[in-house]
Amino acid sequence: MGKIHQEVDSTTPHEPHVLLFPIPFQGPVNCFLKLAELLCLSGIHVTFLNTNHIHGPLLRHTQVLSRFSGYPNFQFETIPDGLEHENPASRDQFREVINAIDVVTKPLFREMIVSGSLSRRSKRPVTVMIVDGVLSFAAEVAIETSTPVLSFETISPCCLWTSYFNLHNLIEAGHLPFKGNDLDEPINNVAGTEYVLRKRDLAEFCRNKNLSDPKIQHTLVEAQTIPRTQGLILNTFEELDGLTLPHMKKLCPNIYTIGPIHSLHKARLNTKSPKSSFSNSIWKEDQTCLSWLDKFPTKTVVYVSIGSLATLTFDQMLEVWHGLVNSNKPFLWVRRPGSITGGYNESIVPSDLLEHTKEIGCIVDWAPQEAVLAHRAVGGFFTHSGWNSTLESIAQGIPMICWPFHVDQQVNGRFVGEVWKAGIDIKDTCDRFIVEKAVRDIMDVKRNVFTRTTNIWASLVKESIGETGSSSISLGRLIDDIRVMSSTMN
C-alpha cells in the first residue's frame, strides 16, 4: 500500500478526513476524482484510494498528480489488487477484476482501516468513508469500525432502482430468470416504471438463466448494503430522475443528487480558475480530432464511441461502419485499442468503406469526450449508453443513438428513448440499415422532436448546477453532513 502524495501536518481529532474508494474502472474513478476535488475546494481533507491496476494508467495518461498538488488537503493511497496486466480492463475482464479485489484487496483494506495507516490509531484517522456501492465489503468494514459511511453509485439511478433495489422483487414475482424468448414482455411491478420497462430493458445481468450467478448474487448483497449506510450519493439531478427518486427515497431517505458531476465540477472549478482544463482518462487522448471537427459546420458530425469497457465483434464493427458511411454524415469514431474482439484486420475491410471514411470520417484510439460533445460541429452521439456518457450528452443537448452493452446501459437506453425523449434506443440490433436510419433521424435538420427536448434538458442541467440549483444545494448539504458526522465520531 503505497502513498503517492505527502501527508500534511497533524490535525485535530475531529477535523473531517474523507476516504474515497472507487471501483477500479475508468467511469467510476473519473466521477470519484471530480467529487474529490469538489470536497478539496470546500477545505475537507481527502484520501483517494486506488487499486494498483487502475492507478498506473491514471498516472501515465493524466496530469492528476500535478493537478492535485495544489491541494495540501489531498493525498493518494494505493492498495494491491493482484492483477498483473498493465492495460486497463475491458468488459470481458470485469469479473476477473472483481474476483481479484475480493481475494487480495478486501483483507488488506480491512487491515488498513482497523489497525493500519487509516485506522483510529493513525495520525490522521478517517472520519467518513465514501465508497463505491459495488464495494460492499468496504461499507461493511466502515460499519464494523463505527465509521460513518456513504455509498456513491456511479451507475444510473434508473438502473439502481429497477434492476438493483428491485432485483429481489423481480425474482419473487417470477420475472427472473426469464422464461421464453419474448424480451418485449412488459415489467409492470417496479414502482414508477410500470409502463416503461420490458425484459430487454433490465440490466444485462438480469438475462442470466442462473440465479446463483456471481453477478446476481453480488448485486443482491449490494442492494441490501447500501440502505445500511448513512446516505447515498447519486450522479444525477432531481429533474432528470423524478420518475424513480421518490420511490428510492423511501428505501434510502438520505440521498444527495450532485449531478451531472462533470458539469457541477466544471462550474466550481471555473470559479477558481477559468482556464482550468484537464482529463481523468486512463487512455491517451488524441487531441487532433478537435481540429478535425473545426472543419465542419455546426451540428453536422456524428460522434461514435462505445466507452472504456465494451467490445464488439469484427462483423458488428462492419455493420456500424456501413451504417455510418451510408448515412453520408461526417463521423468521428473512437475505436479503443482492444475493443474489437479477435482483432482488427484492415485487409478484409471493403475498400468502399475505407475510401468513404477518408472523405467524411475520422477514426482515433481515444478522444477527449467532454470536449468533443461540447464542440459546435457535433450534432449526434452513437453511444454505448454508459451513465457518464449519457449525462455528458444530456448536458450538451446532444441527441443519442443508444446501443447498450452491459450493467446499467440497457436501462439507460430505454430511458433516453422513452422517458427523456433524448434519442433512439436500438439495443439488441446490429444492422447497417437500422444504424443508417437512426443516424439520419437524429441528424436531420427536421428532427426538431429531439433538439427541442435535448435543449430543454441542457437548460435544466444549467439550472441544477447554479447557485440555487438542486445539485448545488445537495453538494452543500453533503459537505455540511460530512462535517457533522466527523465531529460526532467517538
Side-chain angles (χ1 to χ4, degrees):
M1 289 166 279
K3 191 165 295 179
I4 308 299
H5 195 79
Q6 63 183 11
E7 273 202 45
V8 298
D9 296 334
S10 60
T11 183
T12 56
H14 300 304
E15 184 177 342
H17 176 194
V18 177
L19 175 68
L20 294 179
F21 190 14
I23 187 174
F25 294 99
Q26 164 83 62
V29 169
N30 185 20
C31 285
F32 269 76
L33 282 170
K34 286 179 166 60
L35 176 58
E37 195 158 9
L38 289 170
L39 296 179
C40 285
L41 287 170
S42 72
I44 290 174
H45 186 89
V46 174
T47 293
F48 197 100
L49 183 62
N50 267 333
T51 72
N52 292 343
H53 173 69
I54 198 75
H55 201 66
L58 187 68
L59 296 188
R60 285 197 297 273
H61 299 305
T62 73
Q63 291 75 48
V64 68
L65 284 184
S66 60
R67 189 169 93 240
F68 276 99
S69 65
Y71 299 103
N73 53 333
F74 178 89
Q75 64 184 14
F76 272 118
E77 288 251 9
T78 57
I79 190 167
D81 49 27
L83 295 169
E84 300 295 334
H85 45 86
E86 292 186 0
N87 292 327
S90 67
R91 174 197 179 191
D92 298 336
Q93 297 167 309
F94 183 88
R95 213 51 246 169
E96 177 190 351
V97 173
I98 297 301
N99 291 340
I101 289 173
D102 195 51
V103 172
V104 177
T105 308
K106 182 177 177 179
L108 293 175
F109 178 80
R110 187 180 184 280
E111 177 189 353
M112 176 185 281
I113 299 300
V114 173
S115 59
S117 61
L118 298 175
S119 68
R120 294 285 180 90
R121 67 184 68 175
S122 65
K123 190 175 181 181
R124 187 191 292 277
V126 168
T127 61
V128 177
M129 290 190 205
I130 298 178
V131 302
D132 196 298
V134 176
L135 303 176
S136 300
F137 71 86
E140 292 289 354
V141 171
I143 294 168
E144 175 191 342
T145 57
S146 300
T147 306
V149 58
L150 302 170
S151 294
F152 185 8
E153 276 289 356
T154 59
I155 63 168
S156 64
C158 57
C159 179
L160 183 63
W161 174 245
T162 60
S163 303
Y164 282 61
F165 287 146
N166 274 281
L167 181 57
H168 180 75
N169 296 337
L170 291 168
I171 294 171
E172 288 288 303
H175 286 304
L176 303 181
F178 290 168
K179 299 176 181 67
N181 299 315
D182 183 12
L183 292 179
D184 290 319
E185 181 181 324
I187 300 291
N188 294 323
N189 66 325
V190 176
T193 64
E194 290 86 352
Y195 304 103
V196 175
L197 294 176
R198 307 158 299 177
K199 284 184 175 179
R200 73 172 70 250
D201 303 315
L202 294 171
E204 167 235 15
F205 57 77
C206 291
R207 301 187 185 195
N208 201 307
K209 299 294 185 182
N210 181 9
L211 294 182
S212 63
D213 180 80
K215 284 185 182 179
I216 291 179
Q217 292 303 311
H218 193 109
T219 303
L220 287 169
V221 171
E222 186 176 342
Q224 292 168 352
T225 304
I226 291 172
R228 297 172 58 209
T229 65
Q230 273 81 8
L232 172 60
I233 303 169
L234 296 174
N235 184 17
T236 190
F237 55 105
E238 294 284 336
E239 296 80 2
L240 185 67
D241 279 295
L243 204 62
T244 56
L245 282 174
H247 302 284
M248 212 179 304
K249 287 176 180 177
K250 294 176 184 177
L251 184 65
C252 304
N254 190 27
I255 291 180
Y256 308 91
T257 50
I258 62 168
I261 196 167
H262 76 281
S263 298
L264 184 60
H265 173 262
K266 185 177 181 181
R268 295 297 173 94
L269 212 59
N270 280 349
T271 301
K272 177 191 175 194
S273 175
K275 293 184 179 180
S276 297
S277 178
F278 52 82
S279 167
N280 294 325
S281 175
I282 59 174
W283 295 94
K284 185 178 180 180
E285 295 176 339
D286 187 337
Q287 300 286 335
T288 63
C289 64
L290 296 175
S291 56
W292 181 84
L293 287 171
D294 290 340
K295 300 184 294 185
F296 294 92
T298 299
K299 302 294 183 185
T300 57
V301 178
V302 183
Y303 173 54
V304 184
S305 175
I306 61 168
S308 60
L309 287 176
T311 58
L312 66 166
T313 67
F314 191 84
D315 287 342
Q316 286 175 323
M317 179 201 67
L318 288 180
E319 289 300 308
V320 172
W321 203 345
H322 276 290
L324 292 169
V325 166
N326 293 343
S327 74
N328 206 32
K329 305 295 182 185
F331 61 89
L332 168 60
W333 190 351
V334 171
R335 277 203 216 136
R336 190 187 76 249
S339 62
I340 312 299
T341 56
Y344 173 73
N345 185 353
E346 187 168 295
S347 66
I348 58 175
V349 175
S351 58
D352 61 321
L353 287 184
L354 296 173
E355 290 303 315
H356 279 90
T357 299
K358 289 177 183 177
E359 298 171 8
I360 63 171
C362 175
I363 299 174
V364 296
D365 284 348
W366 199 248
Q369 181 162 290
E370 287 183 41
V372 167
L373 289 172
H375 196 286
R376 58 163 183 78
V378 174
F381 184 12
F382 185 103
T383 173
H384 65 306
S385 297
W387 188 233
N388 284 347
S389 294
T390 300
L391 284 178
E392 288 163 12
S393 199
I394 285 173
Q396 293 297 336
I398 304 294
M400 288 166 269
I401 299 169
C402 301
W403 194 43
F405 286 81
H406 58 108
V407 194
D408 60 341
Q409 297 164 16
Q410 313 291 340
V411 190
N412 301 346
R414 183 63 167 177
F415 269 63
V416 166
E418 291 298 310
V419 178
W420 303 319
K421 307 296 183 183
I424 301 167
D425 183 12
I426 61 169
K427 68 163 60 77
D428 296 323
T429 63
C430 189
D431 178 277
R432 65 188 67 184
F433 302 108
I434 292 174
V435 171
E436 177 187 354
K437 183 179 186 306
V439 170
R440 290 183 182 277
D441 285 347
I442 69 161
M443 297 299 291
D444 193 323
V445 292
K446 299 177 182 178
R447 72 189 192 286
N448 292 333
V449 61
F450 293 120
T451 52
R452 279 197 301 268
T453 307
T454 53
N455 285 338
I456 290 170
W457 284 121
S459 296
L460 289 172
V461 166
K462 291 179 182 177
E463 288 180 18
S464 73
I465 64 172
E467 190 174 336
T468 59
S470 59
S471 295
S472 290
I473 291 171
S474 267
L475 178 63
R477 185 167 62 85
L478 172 63
I479 291 167
D480 290 343
D481 288 353
I482 286 172
R483 296 188 189 281
V484 170
M485 286 187 282
S486 299
S487 68
T488 57
M489 272 193 68
N490 295 327

